């Protein structure tokens, strides 16, 4: 025991001694270690600074070339081209504060109007039709805004591909594909929404990948900055066109994947995971929604005067517009028997229930008085509401019209009652004809209609109540078809009685004008809708109008399968040999290279995924290339699919320019794919040659792109003289497809 105690005592004494020797050795080495660490850290920082410095030169070159190609010959032609007739006119409406309607959200048009105003344009040009000369009006400010925003697409693509691939050649090749594309140049040089939309789409993607690069520094200032800017750009994209929803979905899918991976990191507590979730809700949902609402608030505030868009919206909406006959008007609030009223259809731009002395022609149902919808206000829109079984007695006690009442509607001018029967409607088969019938309010039981209030309530409120009129005898609903009658019907809207008892805007009405001397008047200003109601209504109207868009006469439309193959372009300006002609068509070399790379990426990407999944032995270099191809290329392929495939399921009319957001993703994928494949091929060669082969391949691609731009640049900057299929044309021999009409 003594011996054991002595040994333990000796060991305890020895341990501090060894610690002292170790601490002395560490103290002796620390200065050298700290010096070495500072040197290594300085070397790393120097390398990073050198990389940043080396990046600014190519990025600056990309920005310079992009701006030169977009702003070159911006003033030509000095007349209205293609859809400038729409969006230039809408910019004028903002300057004049005149309310209008468009199927797209307002941000793009507001920016165009602001650019016009800031550049001295006074909003007086009419923008009547393509080819109209601008004369002395200042249009360059509006074109300049679009060119400015379009000029940032190549730099954004450069930075996106650089972030995804860490390859400067891939980023430069991507930028060249977009800089040298004639279609992208054309779209950026005119007063259009497309360059503004693509600016925000690419901005959102750039901010998203920059945010993902900050994953190792969560909740840092740069992390919050890129996350917030992603939300800002999402609001911008959706605020220009509803197509912006596709990039919202793309960011949403990436966000969901990020959160799922964070949930699987067991080193993170649930508090941290929840912080990540909340931060994304704040920046990617709440912030875009707030900004999107602010855009519409500014839109409604700016456009406070009555204009050509009034008729697309409800009567309550119109009451807020200065100059509209409902603005600050006064009328009785609740409908009573004996009231003279006008009824407006809730169908987009359908107009008022209307009748006139003209009869339906022979062979069109019963030869009775026509009932139509009419978009203008006149005395033929007035109807007197009466009880179904008795005439109106001014001496009788006042009685309000209530939900469920059966009424007659007598046309005030002609004295005939609103009527329906088992005769087919003029245009819409399986619907019943609506006429005006009888003499001085006397008709038959087919004149009886039951009033139903949609959304509750007992009494009919002017402007606000939504009404259905159910025909008592046949059970059908009074409605509008949206079809225009032939010349015998003065090309006014068809009114039918629909046997399909489903609730839709076509069968809903509201009371707009109301005259009754026995009732006190109120100011309709108290019935004005709230901002939230206006916001909801405007979106309903936009979505309905968007889905119902049909091609105009002689208009060149296209199908989604046409777009990737560059099958057919759009004529922006000029038709004849003497005209200044601009033709929207993608650079065919670039577009067909993009198409080939889509197929090539699919094959190589699938092979790479199988090899990695099976754990096949491959070198670290090949594995790195495959990772870039699958992860970075996968992001870009997802963007292309989201911005292209949904058009196959749309019922609205489609045009070639709808493909250009998808084309940007396709070009980025081409730049990344070409560089990765060249790198893989060159690495399989002998060591001294591999770098030369790689750079030779990259340079060859650049030369092909530059030469193709030289050949096709007149498409964007304008052509004069013989057409392409005529001798002496500047484009002679370059009409490679018969469908190209330049």
């Amino acid at each position: 025991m003594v011996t054991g105690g002595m040994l333990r005592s000796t060991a305890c004494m020895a341990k501090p001694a060894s610690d002292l020797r170790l601490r002395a050795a560490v103290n002796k080495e620390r200065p050298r270690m700290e010096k070495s660490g500072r040197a290594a850290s300085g070397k790393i920082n120097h390398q990073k600074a050198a990389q940043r410095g080396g990046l600014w030169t190519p990025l600056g070159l990309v920005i310079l070339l992009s701006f030169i190609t977009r702003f070159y010959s911006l003033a030509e032609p000095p007349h209205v081209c293609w859809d400038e007739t729409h969006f230039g006119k809408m910019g004028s409406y903002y300057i004049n504060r005149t309310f209008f309607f468009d199927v797209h959200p307002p941000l793009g048009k507001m920016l165009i109007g602001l650019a016009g105003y800031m550049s001295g344009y006074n909003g007086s040009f009419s923008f009547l039709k393509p080819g109209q000369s601008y004369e002395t009006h200042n249009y360059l400010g509006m074109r300049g805004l679009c060119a400015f925003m379009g000029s940032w697409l190549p730099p954004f693509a450069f930075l996106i591909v650089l972030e995804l691939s860490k390859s400067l050649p891939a980023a430069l090749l991507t930028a060249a594909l977009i800089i040298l594309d004639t279609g992208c140049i054309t779209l950026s040089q005119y007063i259009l929404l497309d360059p503004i939309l693509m600016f925000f789409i690419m901005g959102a993607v750039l901010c998203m990948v920059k945010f993902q690069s900050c994953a190792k520094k969560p909740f840092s200032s740069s992390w919050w900055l890129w996350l917030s800017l992603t939300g800002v750009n999402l609001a911008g994209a959706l605020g220009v066109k509803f197509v912006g929803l596709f990039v919202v979905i793309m960011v949403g899918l990436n966000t969901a994947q990020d959160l799922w991976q964070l949930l699987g990191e067991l080193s993170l507590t649930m508090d941290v995971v929840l912080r990540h979730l909340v931060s994304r809700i704040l920046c990617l949902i709440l912030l875009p929604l707030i900004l999107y609402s602010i855009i519409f608030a500014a839109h409604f505030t700016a456009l406070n005067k009555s204009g050509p868009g009034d008729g697309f919206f409800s009567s309550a909406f119109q009451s807020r517009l200065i100059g509209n006959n409902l603005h600050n008007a006064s009328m009785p609030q609740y409908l009573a028997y004996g009231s003279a009223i006008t009824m407006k259809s809730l169908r987009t731009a359908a107009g008022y229930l209307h009748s006139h002395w003209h009869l339906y022609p022979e062979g069109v149902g019963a030869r009775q008085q026509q009932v139509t919808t009419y978009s203008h206000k006149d005395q033929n829109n007035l109807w007197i509401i009466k009880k179904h079984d008795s005439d109106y007695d001014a001496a009788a006690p006042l009685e309000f019209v209530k939900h469920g009442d059966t009424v007659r509607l007598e046309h005030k001018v002609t004295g005939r009652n609103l009527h329906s029967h088992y005769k087919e409607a003029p245009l819409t088969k399986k619907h019943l004809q609506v006429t005006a019938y009888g003499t001085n309010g006397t008709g038959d039981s087919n004149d009886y209609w039951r009033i139903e209030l949609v959304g509750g309530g007992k009494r009919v409120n002017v402007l606000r109540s939504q009404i259905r009129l159910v025909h008592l005898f046949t059970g059908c609903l009074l409605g509008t078809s949206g079809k225009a009658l032939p010349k015998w019907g003065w090309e006014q809207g068809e009114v039918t009685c629909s046997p399909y008892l489903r609730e839709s805007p076509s069968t809903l009405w509201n009371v707009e004008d109301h005259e009754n001397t026995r009732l006190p008047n109120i100011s309709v200003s108290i019935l004005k809708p709230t901002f939230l109601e206006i916001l909801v209504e405007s979106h309903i109207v936009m979505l309905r109008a968007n889905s119902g868009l049909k091609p105009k006469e002689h208009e060149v439309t296209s199908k989604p399968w046409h777009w990737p193959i560059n099958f057919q372009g759009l004529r922006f300006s000029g038709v004849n040999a003497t005209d200044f002609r601009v033709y929207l068509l993608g650079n065919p070399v670039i577009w067909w290279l993009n198409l080939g790379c889509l197929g090539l990426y699919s094959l190589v990407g699938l092979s790479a995924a199988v090899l990695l999944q099976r754990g096949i032995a491959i070198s670290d270099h090949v594995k790195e290339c495959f990772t870039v191809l699958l992860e970075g290329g996968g992001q870009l392929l997802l963007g292309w699919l989201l911005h292209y495939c949904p058009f196959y399921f749309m019922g609205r009319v489609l045009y070639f320019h709808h493909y250009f957001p998808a084309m940007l993703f396709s070009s980025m994928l081409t730049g990344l794919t070409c560089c990765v494949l060249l790198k893989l091929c060159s690495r399989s060669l002998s060591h001294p040659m591999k770098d030369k082969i790689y750079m030779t391949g990259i340079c060859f691609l650049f030369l092909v792109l530059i030469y193709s731009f030289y050949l096709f640049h007149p498409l964007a900057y304008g052509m004069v003289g013989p057409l392409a299929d005529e001798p002496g044309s500047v484009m002679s021999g370059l009409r490679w497809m018969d469908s190209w009409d330049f």
Side-chain angles (χ1 to χ4, degrees), residues 360 370-372 426-427 483-495:
Y360 287 100
Q370 296 175 16
V371 172
T372 65
L427 303 178
K483 300 174 183 177
L485 294 170
K487 289 185 178 179
W488 56 255
W490 308 96
E491 298 181 347
Q492 295 175 8
E494 182 191 34
V495 173

Side-chain angles (χ1 to χ4, degrees), residues 412-432:
K412 186 174 182 180
V413 173
T414 63
R416 289 173 174 160
N417 296 328
L418 188 68
H419 178 98
S420 188
H421 44 226
Y422 285 112
K423 296 283 186 179
E424 198 170 61
L427 303 178
T428 307
K429 306 305 178 186
K430 298 184 180 179
H431 283 216
L432 303 182

Side-chain angles (χ1 to χ4, degrees), residues 527-546:
L527 302 175
K528 286 180 182 177
T530 64
F531 170 71
L532 184 59
E533 290 173 321
I534 293 172
L535 187 64
V536 171
E537 180 182 351
S538 63
H539 279 77
I540 292 172
V541 173
M542 283 189 294
L543 291 172
R544 287 176 188 158
N546 219 321

Side-chain angles (χ1 to χ4, degrees), residues 304 314-329 333 461-464 522-534 537:
N304 63 349
S314 68
S315 304
F317 183 98
Q318 294 180 43
S319 67
R320 55 180 294 279
L321 298 173
I322 299 170
N324 189 282
N325 69 310
L326 292 173
H327 183 69
N328 290 334
Q333 182 174 6
N461 197 342
V462 295
L463 306 187
R464 303 307 296 265
I522 63 160
S523 172
V524 297
S525 60
I526 67 172
L527 302 175
K528 286 180 182 177
T530 64
F531 170 71
L532 184 59
E533 290 173 321
I534 293 172
E537 180 182 351

Side-chain angles (χ1 to χ4, degrees), residues 606-624:
L606 180 62
S607 303
V610 171
L611 289 174
L612 292 175
Q613 187 69 16
R614 293 295 298 172
I616 305 297
I618 53 178
S619 67
D620 291 341
H621 169 71
V622 173
K623 185 178 293 186
E624 180 184 344

Side-chain angles (χ1 to χ4, degrees), residues 12-216:
C12 290
M13 293 172 65
K15 186 173 181 180
S18 64
D19 284 350
L20 288 172
R21 287 193 298 272
L22 178 62
R23 189 176 293 113
V26 168
N27 290 335
K28 184 178 179 181
E29 291 292 324
R30 180 175 287 132
R32 188 176 63 83
M33 293 171 63
E34 288 177 350
K35 183 178 180 181
S36 174
R38 285 194 299 270
S41 177
K43 186 177 181 180
I44 291 172
N45 291 334
H46 179 72
Q47 288 175 347
K48 288 183 177 179
Q51 288 174 354
R52 286 195 296 268
L55 174 63
W56 283 113
T57 300
L59 179 58
L61 180 63
V62 167
I63 294 172
L64 178 64
L65 291 175
S66 184
F67 272 77
I68 289 173
T69 54
R70 271 62 182 170
F71 277 87
Y72 174 74
S73 193
L74 188 65
E76 297 295 330
H79 59 245
V80 177
C81 294
W82 195 50
D83 269 359
E84 285 189 325
T85 186
H86 299 302
F87 302 118
K89 185 184 297 181
M90 292 170 188
S92 299
Y93 285 142
Y94 277 107
I95 293 172
N96 297 316
R97 307 197 68 178
T98 303
F99 187 76
F100 69 95
F101 168 71
D102 185 45
V103 297
H104 305 300
L107 178 59
K109 283 97 63 179
M110 282 199 294
L111 292 175
I112 289 171
L114 179 63
Y117 177 77
M118 296 294 289
S119 61
Y121 170 59
N122 61 8
S124 61
F125 187 67
S126 59
F127 288 95
L128 285 177
K129 60 182 180 180
Q132 180 185 7
S133 174
Y134 282 117
E135 299 174 344
T136 59
H137 294 275
N138 187 353
Y139 61 97
L140 282 178
M142 293 182 283
R143 280 192 184 175
L145 168 80
C146 297
F148 176 80
M149 302 193 86
S151 297
W152 286 105
L153 301 180
F156 284 177
F158 172 91
L159 293 171
I160 291 168
V161 172
L162 185 65
E163 194 65 51
L164 292 176
S165 66
K166 308 301 180 186
S167 168
L168 183 59
L172 285 170
L173 181 59
T174 296
L177 290 167
I178 300 174
I179 288 173
L180 302 175
D181 179 60
T182 52
C184 287
I185 292 172
T186 304
L187 275 185
S188 297
Q189 287 200 309
Y190 298 95
I191 306 171
L192 303 172
L193 298 184
D194 301 270
I196 305 174
L197 169 69
M198 292 189 287
F199 173 89
F200 286 113
I201 288 174
M202 295 292 282
V205 176
L206 174 60
C207 294
M208 179 188 75
V209 298
K210 283 289 188 181
F211 167 73
Q212 290 172 341
S213 71
C214 298
K216 295 182 179 179

